[in-house]
Amino acid sequence: MLDNEEFMLDSYPRELTQNPLKKIWMPCRNGHIAQRRVCMTNCPTLIVTVGLPARGKTYISKKLTRYLNWIGVPTKEFNVGQYRRECLKIYKSFEFFRPDNEEGLKIRRQCATSALNDVRQYLSVEGGQVAVFDATNTTRERRGTIVKFAEQNGFKVFFVESVCEDPDVIAQNIVQVKLGSPDYLHCNSEEAIEDFMKRIKCYESSYQPLDEVLDRDLSYIKIMDVGRRYLVNRVVDHIQSRIVYYLMNIHITPRSIYLCRHGESDLNIKGRIGGDSGLSARGKEFAKHLRKFIQEQNIKDLKVWTSQMKRTIQTAECLGVPYEQWKSLNEIDAGVCEEMMYEEIQEHYPLEFALRDQDKYRYRYPKGESYEDLVQRLEPVIMELERQENILVICHQAVMRCLLAYFLDKTADELPYLNCPLHTVLKLTPVAYGCKVESVYLGVDSVNTHRDRPENVNVQRSTEDALQTVPAHF
Amino acid sequence: MSGTQRDNGPANSTEAKKTDLRMHERKCSWASYMTNSPTVIVMIGLPARGKTYMSKKLTRYLNWIGVPTKVFNLGVYRREAVRAYKSYDFFRHDNEEAMKIRKQCALVALQDVKAYLTEEGGQIAVFDATNTTRERRDLIQAFVKENAFKVFFVESVCDDPEVIAANILEVKVSSPDYPERHRERVMDDFLKRIECYKVTYQPLNPDDYDKDLSFIKVINVGRRFLVNRVQDYIQSKIVYYLMNIHVHSHSIYLCRHGESNHNVEGRIGGDSELSPRGRQFAHTLREFVDEHKLSDLKVWTSQLRRTIQTAEELGVPYEQWKILNEIDAGVCEEMTYEMIQETFPEEFALRDQDKYHYRYPGGESYQDLVQRLEPVIMELERQGNVLVVCHQAVMRCLLAYFLDKGADDLPYMKCPLHTVLKLTPVAYGCKVEMFYLNVEAVNTHRDRPLGKIPKDSAIIHRRNSYTPLSSHDQVKRPRLYSAGNQPWLPLAPTPSALMPEGRQSQESLCEGIDFDSPDETSGCVRF
C-alpha cells in the first residue's frame, strides 16, 4: 500500500505493535509508533499551601510530592523559604518578617516571583505535571497574584490550607523541624523558639484564611487541627480528588513501620524466581527469630500483614499473632519466567533478559508484570499504611522495594535495585520531613537474591556478560 | 506448581467448626474484612436533599466491594403504618398523633437495624430518614452506644431551589405518596412538607454541639464538603466515594471487544487478535458512536490487543487501563472448556460450585476482579460520557455494580459479544438499553450448571487463599457471603424497580408492637 493511499483510507485500522519493553500494544503507521502518554490530568496543576508558620505546610508539601512522584505523576516542590535563604544568605532575626519592614517585603515578593518563574519552567517546559508552591500565602492579595499567574499559564490551582491552634502541636512542630533549620544554626533552643514565636506573630495580623463565602469559587482543602476536620471545596478533577483522599488519610501520630521479606524459601535456595514455595529450614529458623524480635520490640497494637503466598503466610504463622492477607502484596508476576533461574531466562529469553536490564522499572515480563504495574497495584496498600499505626509487613523482594521507595523517596531508576536482603527487618520511623531507617539482620544465614545491573545491557551481549551479576545459589 | 491438599473431614466437632469458620472466613472480601465493628450510617437533611439517592448508591457500592450493607428507609415504615397518605399535614410538628406514629416507626426501624447488624451478618446499616433534630440524633446515638456500633452521619445541605425542584420532579412525583401524580399538586404539597421540617431543623454544628461526632456534610450536591473525625478505613472509603459521585446526567456504554480468534476457537483468556467478524463489529461500533452524537466521549480499553484493536477503529483517542484486562485464568489460560474439563476436572467442578469466589490456580477470581476494578468504578463515577471496551468477566463485574447484582448472579450475567449496553442513571437506579450491532459472533456464555452441585463434597483447601480469623473478631458472627441486598428482607426495595417499594407483608415487622400501649409510648419525646 502506498503512503498516500493509506492516508486516504481513514477508516482502515492502524496496525498494532507491541512495545518490547513494556508489552503495551500501540498503533503504528509506517513504523511510527504513536506515543501515548497516559496522564491523570489534562493541564498541569499548581498546589498552593496556605497557613501560618509551623502549621505543617512543608511536611504536607514534601509528603504529597513524594506520593505523587511514586504513583508516577511528575511533581516538584518549590519552597519559598529556600529562595529567601539563598537571597539573604544570613538570617538575623524575626525582624525580617515584620509587616512594616519594607525592605523585607520587597525581598520576600521577589523570592515568590522567582519561585513562580521556576514553577512555570517546570510545568510548561520540563514536563512536570504538578508543582507544589510551599509558602505561607496568608493574604488574599498574594493568593490572587498566584491565581492570575496560573490562569495566564493555563495551570489549574488547588489550595491546601492548614489551620491549627493547638499550642502543643505547634511547639512539637518547632522542636522537630525549626530548631534544625539553617536559620537557627547559630542559636540555642530557647533563643530559636522565642524568635520563631515572634516570627509567627508577624504573620498573624495579616492572615486571611480561606473563606467559605469570599473564596467559594476556588478549589481547596482546609485541614483543621491536623486532620480532625476537613473542608473541601470544588474539587474539579481526578488528580485533585486523589490529593484530597491522600491528605485525608495521613496522620502524624508517632508509629513505626516494619518491613521484611518472608523467610528463605525452597525456590530461593535453588536460585529460582517467583513461584509459591514453602520456607526452607533456614527460613523457618528466621520466622522464629522474627517472633523473638517482635516480642522484644514490645510494640503497641502491632498489626501484621502478609501476601497470599505460602512463604509469607508461613512466616507470619510462626509469630503466633493474628495477621491479615493482601493479594496486592503478592510478588511481582514473572509471567513466562516464573520459577526459572536467571541462567534459564538467559537461555530461553535472552532478548527479554537484556531488555529488563535496560529499564528494569518499566520492563514487563511476557504475560507478567513490571515494577510500574506493581506500584499501581500497591497504591491501596500505601494508602492503608498511611492510615495505620504500628505495623509489620511481611512481603517479597520486588514488593518491598516498591514500598521502601515510597517511604524513602527513591526514584524509578533506583527502586528496582534497592537492597532488600532476606532475613533482615527494616524499621521505618517517620521523623521531621522524612523517615529514619534502622536495619536489623536477624542472624540467620540465607542466600543472596539481589542481582545488580550488569555492565553490558546490550541485546547482543554474551551469556557471560548477561550472567555477570547473578548471585550464587545451590 | 505443587498440588492442593485434600481434607478428608475433620475429626471432631470443634475442628469441624474451625474448618467451617475458616472456609467461611476466606470468602469475605478484603473490604469487608477490614471493617471491624458494625457501623450505622445516619442520613440527615430536609426532604428532597438527595438522602435516599445517596443511601442507595452508597449501599450499592459497599455491597459491590463486599461489605454487607442495607438501607432502612423510614418513609417506607411510615407508609406501612399509615396506609393512605392524605397531605403534608401529617408532617406538621404540632400534629401529636402523627408524631407518635413517626417516633414508633423510627424505633421499629432501629430494631431492624439491630437485627441486621447483630444477627443477620450485616456490617453497615444506612438509616435513611430526615433525622433533622438533635433529639432524634441523640436517640440514635444512645441506641448505637448501647449496641457497641459505630456511627457516621451524612448530612445533605442544599439551598439551591433549582436542584430541589428537579429532585422533587424526578423522584417525588412518582412516589407512592402521590398516586395521582399531578405535578403541580405534588410540588405544592411536597414543598409544604419541607416547610414543616424546616421549623425544627437543627443542622450538624461542627464547632460546638456536634464537634465530636464523625460525619460528612455534603453541601450543594458536592460543591463543598465538611468532613469531621473520620474514624476508620470504611468511613474513609465512604467519604472518598461520596466526594466522587455527581448528579449530572451522563451515560456509560459498556461493550466487549469484537469477536477474537480465541473466541472462535472456544479458548479462554490469551491475547489474540480480532477475527474478521470482530473487525466488522469494530467498524459498526464506530457508526454507532457517530450516530449517538456523544459529546466529549471518553473511550477506555484494556491493555489486551482485542480491545485496543476495537477502539482503534473508532478513530478517537482512547486510554488503556491494565486493570481492565480480562480475568487471569492462570494455568487454564488459552484452554477450551473441554481441555480444562479434561486436564483439571476438579478445578472445573469447583468453579461451578462457587463461580464468584473460585480462583484459578495461579490466576484470579471474580472477587479479585472486583477489587482490581474499584478504581475504574470510582473514575466512572467522576466522569461524564464513557465507552468502556472490555471483556466478559470484567463487564459482568462492572454491570453488577450498576445494576446492583450480588455475587450469586454476577458471574452468570449475560454479556454477549457485539452488543453495547447503555447505562443511564435515572431516579434511584439505572436505565439499561441494549444495542445488538447486528454482526454475528460466537456465544461465549456458559450458563449456571443445572442440577444439584454437591456443596458438601470434600473440601479442598487452597493454601493460597486461606484467611485466618482476625483478633478483632473472636466472636464469630455469621456472615452473608453473597454481596448484594437480599430481596426477601422486609422493606428492601428490589433493585430493578423504579417504583421503590415492594408489596411484601409488613405484619411480621410490626408484630408485637402495640402502638397504643402506655409502655410503648412512655418516655416518648416529642420529635
Side-chain angles (χ1 to χ4, degrees):
Chain A
M1 178 165 291
L2 300 171
D3 285 3
N4 51 347
E5 270 182 42
E6 204 175 283
F7 280 111
M8 289 188 317
L9 280 171
D10 188 42
S11 59
Y12 201 90
R14 297 180 286 185
E15 284 302 304
L16 291 183
T17 184
Q18 191 179 49
N19 170 307
L21 191 98
K22 296 180 76 168
K23 312 293 188 294
I24 293 189
W25 290 103
M26 300 207 282
C28 74
R29 188 175 281 168
N30 298 335
H32 295 296
I33 299 172
Q35 280 305 325
R36 299 210 73 85
R37 197 171 69 115
V38 176
C39 63
M40 299 233 183
T41 164
N42 311 326
C43 58
T45 303
L46 177 59
I47 297 176
V48 181
T49 62
V50 179
L52 295 173
R55 262 56 176 183
K57 297 183 300 298
T58 303
Y59 176 80
I60 290 171
S61 302
K62 288 187 185 258
K63 217 169 149 73
L64 192 53
T65 302
R66 178 161 56 88
Y67 168 71
L68 290 172
N69 276 313
W70 187 76
I71 61 172
V73 181
T75 307
K76 194 165 166 207
E77 37 143 358
F78 298 83
N79 179 296
V80 175
Q82 285 292 96
Y83 285 76
R84 188 257 307 155
R85 272 184 278 274
E86 248 143 71
C87 184
L88 263 196
K89 303 289 183 226
I90 297 174
Y91 172 75
K92 290 199 191 68
S93 81
F94 77 95
E95 305 268 351
F96 177 79
F97 291 98
R98 286 177 55 156
D100 54 1
N101 182 343
E102 285 291 337
E103 175 78 24
L105 284 172
K106 207 170 80 171
I107 295 177
R108 287 156 72 191
R109 217 172 286 132
Q110 272 173 2
C111 289
T113 310
S114 177
L116 284 179
N117 281 332
D118 286 352
V119 163
R120 183 194 302 125
Q121 177 76 4
Y122 178 67
L123 294 180
S124 304
V125 176
E126 292 170 20
Q129 273 187 267
V130 177
V132 184
F133 188 67
D134 177 18
T136 49
N137 299 314
T138 40
T139 61
R140 199 153 277 127
E141 189 208 331
R142 169 58 58 85
R143 297 195 291 266
T145 312
I146 298 172
V147 169
K148 215 181 299 178
F149 161 84
E151 261 165 37
Q152 282 167 354
N153 289 286
F155 306 150
K156 283 188 186 161
V157 183
F158 188 73
F159 291 94
V160 177
E161 180 174 25
S162 175
V163 176
C164 179
E165 292 313 317
D166 184 340
D168 290 331
V169 173
I170 297 169
Q172 179 67 265
N173 223 342
I174 297 178
V175 166
Q176 272 222 6
V177 294
K178 302 300 179 189
L179 294 186
S181 151
D183 291 342
Y184 295 111
L185 281 180
H186 57 280
C187 299
N188 67 39
S189 303
E190 282 101 54
E191 289 170 351
I193 294 177
E194 199 191 315
D195 184 275
F196 201 82
M197 297 300 280
K198 292 204 183 107
R199 205 203 282 198
I200 298 178
K201 275 259 169 301
C202 295
Y203 284 91
E204 270 173 9
S205 54
S206 58
Y207 182 22
Q208 293 163 306
L210 288 172
D211 183 82
E212 268 182 41
V213 177
L214 294 173
D215 298 305
R216 64 179 174 281
D217 290 330
L218 298 181
S219 298
Y220 66 84
I221 177 171
K222 200 192 264 264
I223 304 172
M224 293 168 263
D225 293 326
V226 204
R228 179 151 307 159
R229 194 189 309 171
Y230 305 91
L231 185 69
V232 180
N233 199 59
R234 289 195 185 249
V235 167
V236 302
D237 63 12
H238 177 91
I239 193 75
Q240 290 182 13
S241 163
R242 292 286 286 274
I243 289 166
V244 163
Y245 186 43
Y246 181 71
L247 291 177
M248 284 175 42
N249 279 313
I250 60 180
H251 68 77
I252 56 167
T253 312
R255 49 90 176 243
S256 290
I257 299 165
Y258 296 81
L259 298 180
C260 73
R261 290 167 66 188
H262 52 82
E264 183 191 67
S265 73
D266 288 325
L267 285 182
N268 283 146
I269 292 183
K270 300 192 188 126
R272 293 180 179 280
I273 65 172
D276 195 8
S277 56
L279 296 180
S280 67
R282 298 195 296 196
K284 291 182 188 146
E285 192 60 33
F286 163 72
K288 292 200 200 120
H289 282 234
L290 184 62
R291 177 175 64 206
K292 190 153 154 285
F293 172 76
I294 294 297
Q295 283 164 355
E296 278 165 12
Q297 287 277 307
N298 205 8
I299 308 153
K300 171 174 165 277
D301 293 330
L302 179 74
K303 288 241 174 86
V304 179
W305 291 355
T306 70
S307 70
Q308 282 186 352
M309 295 183 140
K310 202 166 167 183
R311 49 200 189 276
T312 55
I313 298 174
Q314 281 183 344
T315 310
E317 274 287 313
C318 192
L319 301 180
V321 297
Y323 56 91
E324 294 162 17
Q325 296 182 8
W326 289 77
K327 186 172 192 276
S328 329
L329 283 173
N330 280 7
E331 182 58 315
I332 192 172
D333 184 355
V336 300
C337 300
E338 277 283 318
E339 304 200 40
M340 284 189 167
M341 295 188 285
Y342 289 119
E343 292 86 340
E344 287 169 357
I345 302 178
Q346 169 61 23
E347 195 187 315
H348 298 286
Y349 304 102
L351 171 64
E352 295 293 329
F353 203 45
L355 282 176
R356 186 157 206 254
D357 284 333
Q358 284 180 13
D359 189 348
K360 197 172 173 189
Y361 183 74
R362 282 165 206 89
Y363 169 81
R364 187 186 280 170
Y365 280 107
K367 302 201 177 161
E369 293 176 303
S370 62
Y371 271 96
E372 201 173 18
D373 296 329
L374 204 49
V375 162
Q376 186 176 38
R377 191 185 358 123
L378 287 169
E379 203 254 341
V381 178
I382 287 292
M383 198 62 88
E384 197 43 35
L385 276 173
E386 285 294 346
R387 290 193 55 80
Q388 293 290 337
E389 296 186 13
N390 290 321
I391 184 152
L392 164 66
V393 183
I394 303 173
C395 53
H396 306 266
Q397 183 167 249
V399 169
M400 187 163 160
R401 283 171 172 156
C402 291
L403 298 179
L404 204 55
Y406 167 74
F407 287 108
L408 302 184
D409 204 12
K410 297 294 180 188
T411 63
D413 287 332
E414 298 167 304
L415 189 162
Y417 296 102
L418 292 176
N419 226 321
C420 294
L422 287 165
H423 300 182
T424 308
V425 180
L426 289 184
K427 178 179 176 183
L428 304 167
T429 312
V431 72
Y433 294 138
C435 234
K436 182 172 81 166
V437 193
E438 292 162 68
S439 177
V440 185
Y441 170 59
L442 291 196
V444 178
D445 272 340
S446 73
V447 295
N448 171 27
T449 58
H450 185 92
R451 188 179 156 264
D452 266 316
R453 190 174 196 261
E455 269 174 51
N456 189 348
V457 300
N458 197 295
V459 300
Q460 313 284 5
R461 64 190 177 176
S462 68
T463 301
E464 197 188 324
D465 278 351
L467 299 176
Q468 182 197 14
T469 54
V470 171
H473 57 86
F474 288 94
Chain B
M1 190 161 219
S2 37
T4 55
Q5 301 157 278
R6 191 172 284 274
D7 185 352
N8 288 319
N12 52 41
S13 62
T14 30
E15 264 310 313
K17 259 206 204 99
K18 253 208 315 188
T19 312
D20 246 307
L21 293 173
R22 283 177 174 175
M23 280 298 297
H24 291 163
E25 189 59 56
R26 76 170 161 85
K27 290 188 177 189
C28 285
S29 82
W30 168 251
S32 157
Y33 198 70
M34 290 287 284
T35 308
N36 299 327
S37 29
T39 304
V40 181
I41 299 177
V42 180
M43 307 301 296
I44 303 174
L46 295 172
R49 262 50 175 186
K51 297 185 299 296
T52 303
Y53 175 79
M54 282 195 284
S55 302
K56 293 189 183 222
K57 219 168 148 77
L58 190 55
T59 301
R60 179 161 57 87
Y61 166 70
L62 291 171
N63 277 310
W64 186 76
I65 62 172
V67 182
T69 307
K70 194 173 163 222
V71 182
F72 296 83
N73 177 294
L74 202 52
V76 169
Y77 286 77
R78 188 258 306 155
R79 273 185 276 277
E80 272 310 315
V82 181
R83 291 280 169 175
Y85 174 75
K86 293 193 188 63
S87 83
Y88 76 93
D89 282 317
F90 182 82
F91 292 97
R92 290 175 54 154
H93 71 285
D94 52 2
N95 183 340
E96 277 198 42
E97 158 114 18
M99 281 298 187
K100 230 164 52 172
I101 297 177
R102 288 160 75 192
K103 171 99 189 271
Q104 272 313 322
C105 288
L107 292 173
V108 168
L110 286 177
Q111 284 313 306
D112 283 353
V113 163
K114 178 176 175 180
Y116 177 66
L117 296 179
T118 54
E119 295 156 28
E120 295 164 22
Q123 277 186 271
I124 308 222
V126 183
F127 190 60
D128 178 18
T130 48
N131 297 316
T132 40
T133 60
R134 280 194 188 141
E135 218 171 275
R136 172 56 59 89
R137 299 198 288 266
D138 287 346
L139 176 94
I140 298 171
Q141 287 214 71
F143 160 81
V144 151
K145 198 158 172 199
E146 191 187 304
N147 290 287
F149 300 150
K150 282 187 183 166
V151 64
F152 186 73
F153 294 93
V154 177
E155 181 174 26
S156 175
V157 174
C158 182
D159 51 25
D160 185 338
E162 276 180 35
V163 173
I164 297 166
N167 245 348
I168 297 177
L169 282 179
E170 196 160 324
V171 292
K172 303 301 177 188
V173 170
S174 54
S175 154
D177 286 342
Y178 301 105
E180 78 287 353
R181 295 201 188 18
H182 188 260
R183 268 189 177 186
E184 274 95 54
R185 269 212 47 202
V186 171
M187 184 69 83
D188 185 63
D189 186 277
F190 205 83
L191 288 171
K192 290 203 180 94
R193 202 203 287 198
I194 297 177
E195 292 304 315
C196 295
Y197 281 92
K198 273 192 184 167
V199 177
T200 51
Y201 183 20
Q202 293 163 301
L204 287 175
N205 185 336
D207 297 313
D208 186 17
Y209 193 82
D210 301 302
K211 67 183 189 302
D212 291 328
L213 297 183
S214 298
F215 65 82
I216 178 171
K217 221 189 242 267
V218 179
I219 301 156
N220 281 338
V221 206
R223 176 137 316 156
R224 192 156 79 241
F225 300 92
L226 183 72
V227 181
N228 201 56
R229 290 193 186 256
V230 168
Q231 300 171 344
D232 60 15
Y233 171 82
I234 203 71
Q235 289 180 15
S236 160
K237 280 196 98 68
I238 289 167
V239 164
Y240 185 44
Y241 183 73
L242 290 177
M243 285 176 48
N244 278 311
I245 60 180
H246 67 77
V247 294
H248 307 305
S249 89
H250 66 136
S251 290
I252 293 164
Y253 296 79
L254 299 180
C255 73
R256 291 167 65 188
H257 51 82
E259 183 191 68
S260 72
N261 289 329
H262 271 17
N263 286 145
V264 171
E265 291 170 34
R267 292 177 182 278
I268 65 171
D271 193 13
S272 58
E273 297 192 69
L274 294 181
S275 69
R277 295 197 296 197
R279 283 199 287 273
Q280 207 186 330
F281 164 73
H283 189 82
T284 319
L285 185 63
R286 187 199 178 129
E287 285 169 9
F288 175 82
V289 168
D290 287 338
E291 219 175 88
H292 278 242
K293 293 195 205 0
L294 301 161
S295 68
D296 296 327
L297 179 72
K298 291 239 167 82
V299 178
W300 296 351
T301 71
S302 69
Q303 280 188 353
L304 294 172
R305 219 186 323 193
R306 48 200 188 276
T307 55
I308 300 172
Q309 278 182 338
T310 309
E312 270 290 311
E313 260 289 0
L314 303 179
V316 297
Y318 56 88
E319 219 177 292
Q320 296 182 15
W321 294 65
K322 185 172 194 274
I323 49 182
L324 281 173
N325 280 9
E326 182 57 316
I327 191 171
D328 184 355
V331 300
C332 300
E333 275 283 318
E334 308 203 58
M335 288 188 170
T336 62
Y337 286 120
E338 290 80 39
M339 284 164 70
I340 302 175
Q341 166 77 56
E342 206 182 294
T343 328
F344 304 108
E346 280 159 11
E347 294 295 328
F348 201 57
L350 261 185
R351 188 157 204 253
D352 282 338
Q353 260 188 44
D354 188 351
K355 199 173 174 189
Y356 183 75
H357 294 100
Y358 170 81
R359 187 187 281 168
Y360 282 106
E364 295 176 302
S365 62
Y366 272 95
Q367 189 180 43
D368 296 327
L369 205 49
V370 162
Q371 185 173 30
R372 190 185 355 123
L373 286 169
E374 211 219 319
V376 175
I377 288 294
M378 203 60 90
E379 197 48 31
L380 279 173
E381 286 293 347
R382 289 196 55 82
Q383 291 288 344
N385 294 323
V386 185
L387 165 64
V388 184
V389 182
C390 54
H391 305 266
Q392 184 167 247
V394 170
M395 187 162 160
R396 282 170 172 157
C397 291
L398 297 179
L399 206 54
Y401 166 76
F402 288 107
L403 302 184
D404 205 9
K405 296 296 180 188
D408 278 341
D409 295 326
L410 190 162
Y412 295 102
M413 292 178 77
K414 285 214 162 66
C415 295
L417 287 166
H418 300 184
T419 308
V420 181
L421 287 183
K422 175 181 178 181
L423 304 166
T424 314
V426 70
Y428 295 137
C430 228
K431 181 172 80 166
V432 193
E433 290 163 77
M434 203 169 197
F435 299 93
Y436 171 59
L437 294 197
N438 228 351
V439 178
E440 284 213 25
V442 296
N443 173 24
T444 59
H445 184 90
R446 232 188 114 248
D447 262 315
R448 212 187 288 260
L450 298 163
K452 261 186 73 177
I453 309 277
K455 282 233 161 129
D456 32 48
S457 57
I459 295 158
I460 299 177
H461 282 294
R462 309 202 62 87
R463 33 121 182 79
N464 63 348
S465 56
Y466 170 83
T467 308
L469 302 175
S470 110
S471 61
H472 302 282
D473 241 311
Q474 293 311 341
V475 177
K476 270 320 281 169
R477 290 197 307 272
R479 290 191 184 279
L480 284 178
Y481 309 115
S482 60
N485 290 316
Q486 297 208 339
W488 64 266
L489 286 169
L491 306 185
T494 53
S496 52
L498 287 182
M499 285 292 295
E501 279 73 37
R503 293 276 144 219
Q504 286 129 340
S505 148
Q506 304 309 318
E507 276 85 51
S508 55
L509 179 75
C510 295
E511 220 168 87
I513 300 176
D514 184 349
F515 286 114
D516 294 322
S517 122
D519 292 311
E520 296 285 359
T521 55
S522 67
C524 206
V525 189
R526 183 158 292 220
F527 174 62

